[in-house]
């Protein structure tokens, strides 16, 4: 149960339940409800059940919500359904948080643990008996997609990197945990494209945005982290902040405020300045300032827009930017969710649900291009890759390839 | 004509009547209760749901305050399933005199009512939506109570002790011979059959209708001054503690969290006819404005349903007849043997739901003084059925129950989390009831959509289960929606307009309910409407009327 003076007890999202007219549109779009009766659905768990809670969540099945946010996105009345669910989940877990949920939400910890011993860590995670043991003890499904640890972090590359002389203003680059430890190549390509555009790229010391902690209900931890990060990223007033991790961008843009009530001025400042990488490139393109030479790539690729990107209400900028590449055909997979939803699909009891949620997407990927697919967020890429066998990359990989060649 | 006999006939199935019936039965009398509608369908359900701690009366009436404090503890113990131990707060808002708090504290001390002053900060932590400008706050032991649950469990207890209950029976005459009551005639409103009950005593507990009953006994008029109070339920609990303004009791100074809603109340206007209670829009607005003083933003919150109840106050010459709030809240018993030379008839008026058990005790004691019998009252000592586990009601109960059985039985009323099995079980027990009777037991249609989604499902299931034919199912559905509408249209604004529009499109558009054939009169007319019920036009001048034939609260 929450402290009675906490944000959770006095949540603005709770007031939004008054807008619900029970139209059920959220339930028709919920990807989890479509594949399992274990989840009672967003309308039930959100605006309906919330009337029966006063800081206590007795309906433990609400944990089957994947926090993909589709319900909030489609609600025509403005009910903050996913936010209500997140808060109710945090209340439920307040007193009995599983060890697993604490571990997988500490993305920096996993990275700093894994990277120095990457070959060993990767071998262990690829070794079936070890994964069985992890499932038994920690509750992460043996077949769930896990990141590949790199021997070099992004910042160790950055320290050795020599930047070209800038020809226009500065941008702050936010690499995120995945871009630091697991998806190092994505961060490098993003920085190289930004520098090719003439920007002076700044990489201040930075921690985790706390998204995984938040979606696992560890609000206090998540609040601390996102606030600290906002102060770290806000170093250059007025400078755009760019990140290749769309989900972390969503955390800074709106989730930290709407779900956890963080009102720190640094967060509000950073939240208005931050752009998803493709969003940033599209803004430049629309302003006629994307002066890049795109070389043709003759290929057809499926693209999946992650839930947390859609939740930012900015359309699908990656598709618009990728279509600047001659010869490249981008097929929007038009799937609701890949089923991973951050860390949801990793969990032993939810792995099958996640796979069922993602099946239409996996089928589409296999149909369009079984070799290569494109998606903006890390865990979704890992999920799609694991479930289809395709290589799945951030859009910047194709943009980079088109500009720089191999 | 059916003939029955009993020692005592109790008239009126509100909280007073059921308390009196239980008390009589527990003292060993054979007793029959006669009620013209369903149990607790009048004043006992048309209130805000407050189980008084006594705090409201500590300045004005120490005796009432003390009784409330004692009875609150008793009712919470013997009928725990009807009571939620929410606790209460008295707060001094920026508009109120902080010095009243001193009178409040002193009054509580001399009345023996538990009060604890806390800092405004502590109160705001407990209830974060409270007006941040409050200057003083006091904790009290207020609770909330479901008037129907209270009445049913008291009735169940009375039945265990041999009492009988005749609902939907209208009393037509009270018979007497040689200056003493010897029987009651009533008509079964559902079958039209007449019933004659031979008895030696009649206890008139008809509340605002007590004057009509006295007239049926041929007594000179008993003047009851019904005080109409309008209340408004909000769509969810903005507070989880009862919040009172720490002032001399006034309009709209109580906000009560009860079940899934919270209720702001109440106004007070003298009316002449308790069967036709208006819900004027300006009084709804007055309640929303009053709520705004306690909870900033209250006016923007979603208002769900409004209703009016009638306080059953017997006229008291000490105060002006038009000022019903300042009449004695204590009960008054009229002894017709002295007044009308008719032995065997007592009429009770006044009182409060919180003290219903004590009022019953006093009334039966009074009767025994007249008859010369002496039996101890044990109603405070014995639990009523259904509360054996001793658990008080919790807001989370239904959510927890549905979590356990959600995969076994589909939810029918989504707002109030009633599943199909709950309904079909009740249907088996009470196949001839109306949808409003079912509603009072299961809270069907009492949530934000006000029956928009569940009412047609309920009618359909009743038909599917062969409890009703298609004609009756349609008739019940139409009647139910007509009654919901009475409490909806005086407050339609904001979110509730959008809901009403969607419901209207579904029920009157897609289902074209207006043109589905059904016969009239699926339910007995408990009262004759004064004027035909009209679907409201937009003009302010029209007034909504609560038909007392159906309970109408949230």
């Amino acid at each position: 149960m929450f402290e009675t003076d906490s944000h959770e007890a006095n949540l603005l999202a709770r007031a939004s339940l008054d807008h619900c007219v029970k139209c059920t549109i959220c339930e028709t779009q919920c990807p989890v409800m479509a594949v399992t009766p274990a989840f009672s659905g967003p309308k039930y768990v959100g605006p309906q059940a919330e009337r029966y809670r006063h800081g206590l969540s007795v309906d433990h099945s609400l944990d089957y919500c994947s926090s993909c946010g589709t319900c909030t996105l489609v609600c025509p009345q403005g009910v903050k359904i996913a936010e209500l669910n997140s808060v109710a989940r945090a209340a439920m877990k307040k007193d009995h948080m599983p060890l697993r949920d604490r571990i997988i939400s500490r993305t920096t910890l996993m990275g700093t643990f894994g990277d120095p011993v990457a070959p060993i860590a990767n071998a262990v995670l690829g070794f079936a008996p070890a994964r069985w043991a992890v499932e038994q003890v920690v509750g992460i499904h043996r077949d769930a997609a896990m990141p590949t640890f790199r021997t070099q972090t992004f910042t160790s590359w950055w320290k050795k990197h020599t930047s070209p002389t800038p020809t226009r203003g500065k941008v702050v680059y936010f690499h995120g945990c995945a871009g630091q430890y697991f998806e190092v190549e994505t961060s490098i390509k993003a920085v190289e494209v930004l520098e090719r555009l003439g920007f002076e790229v700044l990489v201040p010391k930075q921690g985790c945005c706390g998204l995984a902690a938040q979606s696992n209900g560890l609000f206090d931890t998540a609040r601390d982290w996102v606030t600290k990060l906002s102060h770290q990223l806000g170093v250059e007033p007025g400078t755009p902040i760019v990140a290749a991790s769309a989900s972390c961008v969503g955390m800074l843009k709106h989730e930290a405020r709407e779900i956890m009530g963080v009102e720190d001025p640094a967060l509000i400042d950073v939240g208005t300045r931050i752009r998803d990488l493709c969003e940033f490139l599209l803004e430049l393109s629309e302003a006629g300032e994307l002066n890049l030479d795109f070389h043709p790539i003759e290929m057809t690729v499926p693209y999946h827009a992650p839930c947390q990107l859609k939740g930012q209400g900015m359309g699908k900028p990656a598709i618009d930017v990728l279509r600047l590449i001659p010869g490249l055909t981008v097929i929007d997979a038009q799937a609701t969710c890949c089923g991973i939803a951050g860390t949801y699909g990793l969990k032993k009891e939810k792995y099958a649900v996640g796979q069922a949620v993602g099946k239409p997407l996996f089928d589409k990927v296999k149909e369009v291009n079984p070799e290569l697919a494109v998606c903006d967020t890390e865990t979704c890429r890992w999920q799609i890759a694991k479930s289809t066998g395709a290589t799945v990359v951030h859009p910047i990989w194709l943009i980079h390839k088109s500009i720089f060649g191999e | 004509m059916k003939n029955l006999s009993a020692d005592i006939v109790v008239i009126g199935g509100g909280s007073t009547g059921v308390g009196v019936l239980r008390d009589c039965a527990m003292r060993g009398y054979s007793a029959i209760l006669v009620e013209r509608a369903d149990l607790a369908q009048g004043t006992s359900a048309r209130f805000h749901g407050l189980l008084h701690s006594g705090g409201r009366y500590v300045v004005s009436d120490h005796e009432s305050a003390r009784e409330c404090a004692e009875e609150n503890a008793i009712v919470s113990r013997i009928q725990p399933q009807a009571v939620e131990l929410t606790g209460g707060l008295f707060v001094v808002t920026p508009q109120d005199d902080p010095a009243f708090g001193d009178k409040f504290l002193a009054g509580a001390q001399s009345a023996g009512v538990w009060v604890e002053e806390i800092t405004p900060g502590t109160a705001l932590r407990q209830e974060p939506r409270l007006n941040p400008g409050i200057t003083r706050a006091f904790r009290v032991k207020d609770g909330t109570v479901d008037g129907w649950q209270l009445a049913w469990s008291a009735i169940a207890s009375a039945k265990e002790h041999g009492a009988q209950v005749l609902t939907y029976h209208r009393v037509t005459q009270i018979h007497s011979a040689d200056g003493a009551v010897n029987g009651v005639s009533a008509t079964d409103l559902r079958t039209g059959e007449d019933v004659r009950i031979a008895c030696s005593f009649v206890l008139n507990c008809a509340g605002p209708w007590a004057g009509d009953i006295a007239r049926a006994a041929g007594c000179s008029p008993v003047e009851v001054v019904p005080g109409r109070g309008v209340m408004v339920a909000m769509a969810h609990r903005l507070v989880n503690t009862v919040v009172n303004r720490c002032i001399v009791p006034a309009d709209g100074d109580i906000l009560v969290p009860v079940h899934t809603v919270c209720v702001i109340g109440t106004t007070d206007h003298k009316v002449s006819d308790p069967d036709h209670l208006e819900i004027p829009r300006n009084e709804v607005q007055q309640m929303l404005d009053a709520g705004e003083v306690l909870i900033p933003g209250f006016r923007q919150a979603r208002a769900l349903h409004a209703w009016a109840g009638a306080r059953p106050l017997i006229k008291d010459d000490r105060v002006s007849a038009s000022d019903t709030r300042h009449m004695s809240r204590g009960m008054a018993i009229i002894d017709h043997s002295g007044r009308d030379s008719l032995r065997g008839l007592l009429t009770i008026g006044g009182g409060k739901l919180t003290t219903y058990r004590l009022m019953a005790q006093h009334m039966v004691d009074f009767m025994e003084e007249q008859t010369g019998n002496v039996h101890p009252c044990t109603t405070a000592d014995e639990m009523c059925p259904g509360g054996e586990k001793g658990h008080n009601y919790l807001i989370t109960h239904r959510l927890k129950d549905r979590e356990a059985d959600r995969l076994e039985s589909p939810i029918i009323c989504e707002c109030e989390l009633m599943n199909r099995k709950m309904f079909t079980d009740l249907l088996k027990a009470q196949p001839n009831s109306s949808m409003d009777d079912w509603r009072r037991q299961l809270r069907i249609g009492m949530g934000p959509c006000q029956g928009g989604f569940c009412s047609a499902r309920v009618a359909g299931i009743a038909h599917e289960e062969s409890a009703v034919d298609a004609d009756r199912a349609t008739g019940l559905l139409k009647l139910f929606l007509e009654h919901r509408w009475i409490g909806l249209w005086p407050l339609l604004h904001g979110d509730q307009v959008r809901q009403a529009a969607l419901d209207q499109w579904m029920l009157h558009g897609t289902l074209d309910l207006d043109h589905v054939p059904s016969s009239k009169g699926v339910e007995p007319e408990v009262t004759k409407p004064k004027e035909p019920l009209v679907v409201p036009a937009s003009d302010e001048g029209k007034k909504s009327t609560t038909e007392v034939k159906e309970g109408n609260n949230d």
Side-chain angles (χ1 to χ4, degrees):
Chain A
M1 206 161 164
F2 285 119
E3 289 299 311
T4 46
D5 60 344
S6 68
H7 170 70
E8 291 82 350
N10 186 22
L11 183 77
L12 275 177
R14 188 164 205 249
S16 79
L17 77 84
D18 275 358
H19 305 324
C20 178
V21 294
K22 319 204 85 74
C23 68
T24 315
I25 287 172
C26 57
E27 299 204 338
T28 66
Q29 299 299 309
C30 172
V32 177
M33 200 184 178
V35 298
T36 175
F39 182 48
S40 300
K43 177 175 73 167
Y44 182 94
V45 172
Q48 272 170 209
E50 187 59 28
R51 297 175 68 237
Y52 293 83
R53 300 190 187 111
H54 60 326
L56 204 62
S57 301
V58 295
D59 49 333
H60 291 186
S61 63
L62 72 85
D63 199 31
Y64 275 95
C65 166
S66 76
S67 309
C68 71
T70 305
C71 44
T72 298
L73 187 66
V74 300
C75 177
Q77 306 292 344
V79 184
K80 297 282 181 193
I81 310 167
E83 290 79 357
L84 284 168
N85 293 355
S86 294
V87 174
R89 186 206 322 266
M92 181 181 95
K93 289 187 172 180
K94 190 90 173 166
D95 303 321
H96 54 275
M97 178 66 66
L99 172 67
R100 186 246 348 251
D101 294 3
R102 289 192 189 280
I103 292 176
I104 58 180
S105 56
R106 297 184 76 87
T107 40
T108 45
L109 181 70
M110 276 178 83
T112 46
F113 155 73
D115 279 10
V117 288
I120 305 164
N122 290 332
V124 169
L125 291 178
F127 178 54
R131 287 299 300 274
W132 178 84
V134 169
E135 176 180 303
Q136 295 302 309
V137 178
V138 191
I140 296 174
H141 194 277
R142 70 189 78 166
D143 295 328
M146 289 300 280
T148 307
F149 294 100
R150 309 292 168 183
T151 48
Q152 183 192 36
T153 63
F154 168 69
T155 42
S156 60
W157 172 84
W158 173 249
K159 278 175 195 155
K160 294 176 205 144
H161 169 69
T162 313
S163 298
T165 312
T167 55
R168 60 206 291 181
K170 296 172 184 175
V171 294
V172 170
Y173 188 70
F174 168 41
H175 52 62
C177 302
Q180 167 75 332
Y181 298 111
F182 310 124
E183 293 268 343
V184 178
E185 276 299 297
T186 302
S187 303
I188 294 171
K189 289 178 196 298
V191 168
E192 286 178 351
V193 170
L194 290 169
E195 288 183 341
R196 174 60 66 93
L197 279 162
F199 286 105
E200 181 187 348
V201 178
L202 308 174
V203 183
K205 182 174 163 35
Q206 51 191 268
C208 175
C209 70
L211 173 60
Q214 184 241 97
S215 73
N216 280 286
L218 295 158
F219 281 13
D220 291 340
T221 308
R223 279 194 200 103
D224 288 348
W225 290 1
V226 77
T227 307
K228 191 174 171 203
L229 174 66
S230 301
H231 287 275
Q232 290 169 331
L233 293 180
V235 282
E236 290 279 333
T239 304
I241 303 164
V242 180
S245 180
S247 50
C248 306
V249 172
M251 178 74 170
L252 289 162
K253 274 186 182 172
H254 68 116
E255 290 192 8
R257 285 185 83 186
E258 290 174 3
I259 297 178
M260 303 191 300
V262 180
E263 294 290 345
D264 193 293
L267 171 76
I268 292 161
D269 170 43
V270 166
T272 51
R273 275 199 275 151
I274 195 162
R275 296 290 181 275
D276 167 67
L277 178 59
C278 291
E279 180 189 19
F280 183 70
L281 297 179
L282 183 62
E283 283 180 3
L284 290 176
S285 170
E286 285 172 346
E289 295 170 7
L290 191 72
N291 29 6
L292 292 171
D293 291 328
F294 290 105
H295 302 295
I297 301 176
E298 297 297 334
M299 195 189 286
T300 299
V301 288
Y303 167 78
H304 170 61
C307 305
Q308 262 143 343
L309 180 130
K310 286 183 283 200
Q312 292 168 41
M314 59 181 185
K316 298 171 181 176
I319 292 183
D320 297 321
V321 175
L322 287 173
R323 284 179 179 159
L324 297 173
I325 300 173
L328 185 68
T329 304
V330 183
I331 307 288
D332 185 354
Q334 296 191 337
T336 310
C337 177
C338 71
I340 192 74
T343 55
Y344 179 87
L346 300 176
K347 298 172 185 178
K348 176 169 71 171
E349 71 281 9
K350 288 160 191 136
Y351 176 77
V353 176
Q355 287 296 307
V357 167
K359 189 169 184 303
L361 171 61
F362 308 149
D363 290 347
K364 187 76 180 174
V365 167
K366 288 175 193 164
E367 174 204 320
V368 174
N369 185 344
E371 304 293 322
L372 186 70
V374 182
C375 175
D376 308 80
T377 53
E378 298 83 11
T379 57
C380 306
R381 290 199 288 274
W382 304 337
Q383 168 86 341
I384 301 166
K386 178 82 188 176
S387 307
T388 62
T391 300
V392 189
V393 296
H394 188 279
I396 198 67
W397 285 53
L398 291 173
I399 294 163
H400 188 276
K401 182 182 165 75
S402 169
I403 296 163
F404 290 89
E406 271 317 314
Chain B
M1 166 96 105
K2 188 158 75 175
N3 286 293
L4 300 168
S5 72
D7 298 329
I8 301 161
V9 170
V10 178
I11 299 173
S15 61
T16 311
V18 302
V20 167
L21 182 77
R22 175 170 180 255
D23 199 314
C24 291
M26 288 178 74
R27 295 194 204 204
Y29 296 104
S30 65
I32 297 176
L33 183 144
V34 184
E35 161 59 49
R36 67 173 186 170
D38 197 7
L39 293 169
Q41 198 178 305
T43 307
S44 302
R46 295 159 189 281
F47 72 127
H48 34 53
L50 174 60
L51 188 69
H52 284 281
S53 61
R56 190 169 174 81
Y57 307 111
V58 293
V59 175
S60 59
D61 182 350
H62 288 182
E63 189 52 35
S64 269
R66 190 183 350 267
E67 284 178 3
C68 282
E70 288 166 8
E71 291 299 310
N72 178 312
I74 292 169
V75 171
S76 301
R77 187 176 71 242
I78 65 171
Q79 300 180 288
Q81 74 277 31
V83 176
E84 182 176 352
L85 303 177
T86 56
L89 288 173
F90 276 76
V91 295
V92 178
T93 76
Q95 301 181 13
D96 308 328
D97 175 13
F100 188 81
D102 298 330
K103 286 188 202 166
F104 180 78
L105 272 179
Q109 197 165 21
S110 35
V113 172
W114 183 88
V115 170
E116 177 190 34
E117 179 154 19
I118 56 175
T119 64
T122 305
L124 285 163
R125 276 192 293 282
Q126 183 174 332
E127 289 299 342
R129 290 179 187 80
L130 270 181
N131 188 332
I134 58 171
T135 55
R136 295 182 79 172
F138 306 89
R139 280 200 178 119
V140 294
K141 291 185 175 172
D142 284 337
T144 69
V145 58
D146 180 320
W148 299 313
Q149 295 286 346
L150 179 117
W152 297 322
S153 71
I155 283 289
S157 168
K159 284 181 173 171
E160 281 188 353
H161 289 276
Q164 295 178 66
V165 177
L166 302 176
T167 53
Y168 291 101
H169 281 66
R170 185 202 302 278
V171 169
T172 49
Q173 202 182 343
I174 296 172
H175 307 280
S176 57
D178 305 326
V181 165
N182 67 2
V184 172
S185 283
T187 306
D188 183 333
L189 294 172
R190 288 202 160 121
T191 62
E193 189 184 21
D194 289 327
V195 185
R196 167 96 187 225
I197 310 167
C199 66
S200 55
F201 224 101
V202 169
L203 298 174
N204 174 11
C205 307
W209 296 272
D212 298 341
I213 298 301
R215 203 175 307 122
C219 296
S220 57
V222 169
E223 197 173 344
V224 181
V225 183
R228 183 200 62 210
V230 165
M231 280 144 276
V232 178
M234 309 304 285
H236 71 274
R237 286 164 69 137
L238 299 165
V239 290
N240 286 299
T241 310
V242 175
V243 177
N244 308 262
R245 267 175 86 173
C246 192
I247 50 175
V248 175
D251 288 353
D253 56 353
I254 317 176
L255 180 61
V256 184
V258 59
H259 289 289
T260 49
V261 300
C262 61
V263 179
I264 182 87
T266 166
T267 56
D268 191 0
H269 289 274
K270 181 191 167 189
V271 293
S272 56
D273 181 359
D275 277 339
H276 300 95
L277 301 175
E278 289 171 4
I279 309 171
R281 285 182 181 176
N282 60 346
E283 289 186 34
V284 170
Q285 184 61 48
Q286 186 192 348
M287 288 302 97
L288 298 178
D289 291 346
E292 188 76 24
V293 178
L294 293 169
I295 309 283
F298 196 88
R299 286 196 201 90
Q300 276 72 49
R302 178 168 172 178
L304 198 67
H305 199 92
W307 64 91
R311 298 175 178 86
L313 301 183
I314 286 184
K315 192 170 173 183
D316 181 333
D317 291 328
R318 284 173 299 176
V319 296
S320 147
S322 62
D323 184 7
T324 54
R325 177 167 288 110
H326 296 100
M327 287 168 89
S328 165
R329 295 281 168 159
M331 62 166 199
I333 296 177
I334 295 174
D335 173 12
H336 294 276
S337 65
R339 186 174 180 271
D340 302 294
S341 303
L342 179 65
R343 280 171 286 124
L345 177 65
L346 296 177
T347 293
I348 189 167
K352 302 177 256 304
L353 185 127
T354 301
T355 56
Y356 89 102
R357 190 211 62 83
L358 183 65
M359 290 163 61
Q361 180 180 342
H362 288 328
M363 191 180 204
V364 181
D365 284 349
F366 199 139
M367 178 189 78
E368 290 201 325
E369 274 175 33
Q370 297 201 336
T371 60
N373 299 315
V374 180
H375 301 87
C377 173
T378 56
T379 52
D381 309 324
E382 191 176 303
M383 296 279 286
C384 291
E388 294 82 357
K389 287 179 187 162
H391 299 314
N392 286 102
Y393 174 86
L394 290 175
I395 177 65
T396 48
H397 277 164
R398 273 208 176 169
L399 187 58
K400 199 171 186 177
D401 291 348
R402 293 297 79 72
E403 179 70 6
D405 63 18
R406 69 202 169 99
L407 299 177
E408 287 149 31
S409 182
I411 307 279
I412 304 303
C413 171
E414 299 174 23
C415 306
E416 292 298 319
L417 299 184
M418 178 201 75
N419 67 20
R420 182 178 174 121
K421 184 170 184 303
M422 289 163 76
F423 177 60
T424 52
D425 286 351
L426 180 64
L427 194 59
K428 279 190 198 106
Q430 300 175 15
N432 300 321
S433 293
S434 73
M435 275 177 71
D436 276 297
D437 294 339
W438 296 327
R439 169 180 70 81
R440 283 186 277 274
Q441 300 188 49
L442 297 173
R443 297 185 59 79
I444 300 166
M446 291 175 69
C449 88
Q450 288 290 296
F453 281 73
C454 60
S455 58
R457 292 174 186 163
V458 166
I461 292 168
H463 178 254
E464 196 175 273
E465 298 282 321
S466 305
V468 295
D469 60 18
D471 182 67
R472 181 166 164 81
T474 308
L476 287 175
L477 175 59
K478 286 180 177 174
L479 188 67
F480 180 78
L481 291 168
E482 200 179 297
H483 291 155
R484 290 282 88 192
W485 186 245
I486 293 169
L488 260 174
W489 80 269
L491 53 66
L492 278 183
H493 74 284
D495 285 318
Q496 202 63 356
V497 176
R498 295 200 271 190
Q499 183 73 62
L502 180 61
D503 294 353
Q504 198 80 4
W505 294 329
M506 289 191 299
L507 293 162
H508 300 281
T510 308
L511 298 181
D512 195 16
L513 198 61
D514 302 321
H515 297 103
V516 181
S518 66
S519 354
K520 290 260 173 200
V522 288
E523 279 303 298
E525 287 285 328
V526 175
T527 61
K528 291 269 179 277
K530 200 190 249 172
E531 52 194 67
L533 191 68
V534 286
V535 173
S538 55
D539 54 319
E540 281 293 319
K542 290 195 177 167
K543 287 171 177 171
S544 182
T545 298
T546 301
E547 290 301 328
V548 177
K549 63 187 174 179
E550 283 303 343
N552 198 44
N553 65 345
D554 66 318

